[in-house]
Amino acid sequence: MYPTKQKLTKIMLCIAFLCLASRVIAQEAPVKGLVKDMSGQPLPGVTIKAEHLSTRKTAVTTSSSQGLFSFNNLAAGGPYRFIFSSIGYETDTLSGYTLTAGQQVALNVKLKEQSNALQEVTIGYGKSKRNEITGSVTSIKQEEFNRGVVSSPGQLLQGKVAGLNITRSGNPNDRPAVILRGPSSFREGAQEPFYVIDGVPGASIDLVAPDDIVSMEVLKDASSTAIYGSRAANGVIMVVTRNAGKGQGKLSYSAYAASETISNTIQMATGDQLRTYLKDNGKVLDKISDNGSNTNWLDEVTRTGFSHNHNLNFNGGGENSSYGASLNYFDNEGIIKNSGLERFIARANMEQRLFNNRLKLNINLTNSNTTNDRIATQVYNNMFTYLPTVSVYNADGTFYEDPTRTTGTGGYYNPVALLENNTYQGKTNLYLINGSAKVNILNGLDFNAMVSMQNEQINENLYNNRYSMLRQGFNGYAERSSVKNTQKVFEGYFNYDKTFGSHGLKLLAGYSWQENRNGDGFQTSGQNFVSDDLLWNNIGLSNGNGSTVVNYGSIYISTLRLISFYGRAIYDYKGKYLLQATIRRDGSSAFGVNNRWGMFPSVSAGWNIDRESFMSNVSFVDNLKLRAGYGVSGNSVGFDAYTARLVYGAQSGSYFYSNGKWLTAIGPIQNDNPNLKWERTATLNIGLDFSLFKNKLSGTLDVYNKKTTDLIAPYQVSTTQYPFNVLTANVGEMTNKGIELSLNTTPVRTGNFSWNTAINLSHNKNEITSISNDLFQANEFYTANVGGRGQSGALGYQVIKEGLPLGTFYTLRYAGKDAAGKSTFYDKNGVASTANTGFEHFTVTGSAQPKLLYGWNNTFRYKQFDFNFFIRGVYGNKILNATLADMNAPIYAFQTNIAEQTLTESINDDKAQFVSDRYLESGSYLRLDNATLGYTFKIKGNKTLRVYASGNNLFIITKYKGVDPEINMGGQTPGIDYRNFYPKTRSAIFGLNFNL
C-alpha cells in the first residue's frame, strides 16, 4: 500500500512540474531582428544586449554573417531595452518594449559608422572618447596592424604612427628598437617607451602574442604620459588584448606559413676574381689560404627560412560571467642556419559580475615559453670576409681552418665551423597573473583595485665543442646561467564620473606600489669534457685542472621598490571646452638618498570648435578640436638598486701578494652619488584634430617641443675627492622639436567597393644643448669606436657635443685618390694629403637622425575580396657603412676577402679602408613593406573563412650600398652598420582566419 502511495505522489509531482514548465515556456516571448549599416549591408558580429529594466536581468547574443539575431528565452513583461554595439559603429538603443507570451517581436536597426571623435581610446587608468582627449594619442586597431612574420609586438606599429621610429634586423631573436619623437637619453637601452598591458604597468611585451592584441594606443606628449610619472619620458604604449567574451561561445583560429630569403647583400669577390686581382698586382696567396676552391660563404651559412604561426582563441559568456582563452604557437626559422625562435603562449581570462553589475571581478593568467637559438657573433663578419679560395672542409671531413690566425674571439674563422662547433641557446619562461576588482560604490563613483605578479626565468646555455676555434685547447667548454626576475604590482584608484547640467567632471585618485627583485640566480662553467654529446647538460662531467678558473659571471641580486600617488581631473563645459590636470608623485629606491621622490605634473586644454554656434552652418566640418598641453615626465629605465651606491669589485690589473700567492685586488668600481635622480622631460604640445565631409577625411596635426634635463652621463672626477675616477651624474640637456601629420580618408565607398588610404608624416630635430654644469665640465664625448684596420688613434667616430644631435658622425674627410692611387684626406684647412689621418683631422661630417619618417597605407575591398599595400620610408639621415669600409681593404686582400667594388682599387692603397665620410652614405629609403590579397568565404551562420597571400619587404628604393638601410636607431650610437648586421629578409606568406 505504501509503495503505491509513494508512486502516485511522484506522478502528481511530475505532472505539476510539467504544467509549471509549460506555463513558464508559454510566458517566454521570442525576439528576432536584423542589423544593417547605413548603406543597407548586413552587419555580422554585432553584440545585442536585452535588459529588463525592472528586474535588471540581461541576455546577450550576436548577429550572424547575414546580420540576423534572436532571443528565444526572454520572459514576458517589461519594459525591455535592446542595446546594439559593435567596434567602429555608434551604439544604438531601442527602448520601451513590453513582451507578450507567444507573440514574436521583430527589431530592425541601422548602425551609424562611428566617427573618429566618438571612438573610445585607452588612456592611463581608464578610457575616454577621442573628442574628450586633450593630449596627443594615436590609436591603432587590430585591422590596421602590420602583417607578416612578426616575432615582437613592436613590429605591428612599424610605420603606422607619426613620430614613432621602429627599426629591426632580420634576426628572429632581436627585438626592434623603438624611439618616439627622437632620442631623449644618452644611455643605451633607455630610449624605449613604457609598456602598459591590460592595465599592468611595466609588464613584459614578450608576454603577448601579436594575434591576441586588439589595439595599441601610443601616448606621445607629457600631458598624456605624466600619469605614469618617472617611467614615461619616452612615451607610453598601452596594449589592449582580447578579454573575456560575452554571449554565445566563439571559436577562432588563425594560421600562416611563410618562407624567408635574404633581400639584399654586399657583393663580395669570388675566388677566381680574387686570384686574378692579386695576380695582376704581382701577389699570390699562400698555400693555406688557397686550395683552389671557389666558395660562396654567404650561401654556405644561409638558407630559406620557413616559419609558421598558429593562434586558437575561444571566448563566450552568460548573463553574469564571461571567459576567454587563447593558445599561440610561433616557430620562426632564421635565414642563417642554426638561428631561430620558438615560442608558446597560453592565456586565460575570466570576468564575473555580481550584485547587478556593481561588482566586477577579473582574473588573467598568461604563460610564455620562448626558446632562442643564437649564433656566434663572429659569423656576421666572416661570412663576408673569409677567403673564398678555400673549401669548407678538409679531405678528412674536418673543417678547413687557419689556426695561426684564430687566436682571439674577434678574428678570422671558418663561418660554417662557427655555426657547427658553437651552440648558444636561451630559454625564457614568463608568467603573469593579474586580478582586478571594480566596485560601483555610488552612481558615478567606482573603486578599482589591481594586483599582479610577473615571474621571469631566464636560462642561458653555451657550449663550445673540442673543435671550436673560439676555445682552443679547452677540449669542450660549457657555460650555464639561471636567473629569476620577479615583479609585483598593486594599484588602487577611485574614478568619479558625473555630469551636472552643462558641466562634466571626471576625477581620478590612486596609489601604486611596485617591487622588482632581479638577478636571483647564478652562473657557472666547466671545461675538458670526455664527450661533446651532452653539450651543457651535465657540467659535473667536466675535468678542469688546477689552473681552471670557473666563470661565475657578474650576476647579483637586487630589489627595487617604487611607490606612487597620482591624481587626475578632467572638466568639460557643454562638451566644448575641456580641461585636464594630472599629477604623480613617485618615490624610488634606485636613486640617491637626496632625490628619492619626484613630482610629475601636467595640464592640458581642448576646444571642440565644431560645437560652437558659429559652426552650425559649416556643413563640411564634422569634428574640429584644438588642444594644447604641457607636462613633465621622467625616465628611470636602466636603474637598479645599486645605481647610485658605492660598489666594490675586482680591480683589473691590480694584485697583492699574500701567503705566497698573488691575489686580485678588490676596490671601488662605482662611486656613490646621493644626488642622482631620474632624467626629466618637459613637453609642450599643440594639436588639431579634424574630421570633414561626413567623416570621409580625418586627421591630426601636432607640433611639439620636448626638452630633457638632468641627462645622465659618466664624468671623470678626481680620485682625491672620490674613491673611483668616474661618477655617474645628472648634467646634460637635450631638445627634440617636431611636427607630425596623420591623414585618413575613404575616397570611395559603395555597396560593393571601398578604398581607404592613410598617410603619416613626421619631422623631428634633435639637439644636445648642454653636457656641463657648475660641478662637472666636458667639451665633448667621443663614442662609436668602430675602428678601421690599420687606423689608430681615433677616440671615436661619433661625438656628443653641445649644439649637435645625438648620432653626429665625426670622421676624416675623404679627398679622393692621388696619382699613385692612394686615398687622401683633408686637413682642417682643406689641404689634401695621404698623411692627414690623425684624430686632429677629424671633423663633423653628418648626422644619423632622419629629417622625415613616413608611412602610406591603402586598403581596397570589393565584395568578399580585400587588398592592402603599405609603403614606409625614411629621408634625410646618414649611415656609417663601417662594414663596407672594413671589406674595402685592398692591402689586406691576401688575408681576407674584399668587396667586388674593391677590384678597381689600387692594391697599394693602405688607407682605402680608413673610416671617413667616403663611407658616410644616405640612409634614405622607400620600401614596399607589405602587400596582401585576401578572400572571405561566408559560411552558414555567423561563420567566416578568410584566406590570404602576403609578401613582405617586396622592394626597396635606396642609394645605400650596404645590406639594408634600416639600421638600429636606438642607443647612444645610432646609424652605424658595423659587421654585426643580421641580413633583412623578404618573405612570402600564406594564411587563413577561421571564425566559428
Side-chain angles (χ1 to χ4, degrees), residues 173-191:
N173 296 305
D174 281 353
R175 288 178 60 183
V178 183
I179 298 177
L180 179 64
R181 291 185 167 181
S184 298
S185 178
F186 296 152
R187 297 175 292 125
E188 295 285 345
Q191 297 171 351

Side-chain angles (χ1 to χ4, degrees), residues 33-35 42-48 61-70 248 938-944:
L34 174 64
V35 188
L43 277 180
V46 177
T47 300
I48 303 99
T61 188
T62 56
S63 61
S64 70
S65 58
Q66 288 79 37
L68 300 172
F69 68 92
S70 64
Q248 185 178 357
K938 295 182 179 180
I939 308 172
K940 185 178 180 180
N942 193 23
K943 303 180 182 69
T944 59

Side-chain angles (χ1 to χ4, degrees), residues 30 118 250 481 886:
L118 296 177
K250 298 178 184 177
S481 66
D886 188 72

Side-chain angles (χ1 to χ4, degrees), residues 24-25 27-31 50 57-61 70-76 80 99 319:
V24 170
I25 293 173
Q27 288 181 345
E28 292 179 348
V31 176
K57 289 186 176 182
T58 61
V60 179
T61 188
S70 64
F71 292 97
N72 296 317
N73 57 350
L74 297 181
Y80 276 93
L99 306 184
E319 182 178 345

Side-chain angles (χ1 to χ4, degrees), residues 13-29 76 101-102:
L13 287 173
C14 289
I15 293 172
F17 177 78
L18 291 172
C19 291
L20 180 62
S22 64
R23 183 181 178 188
V24 170
I25 293 173
Q27 288 181 345
E28 292 179 348

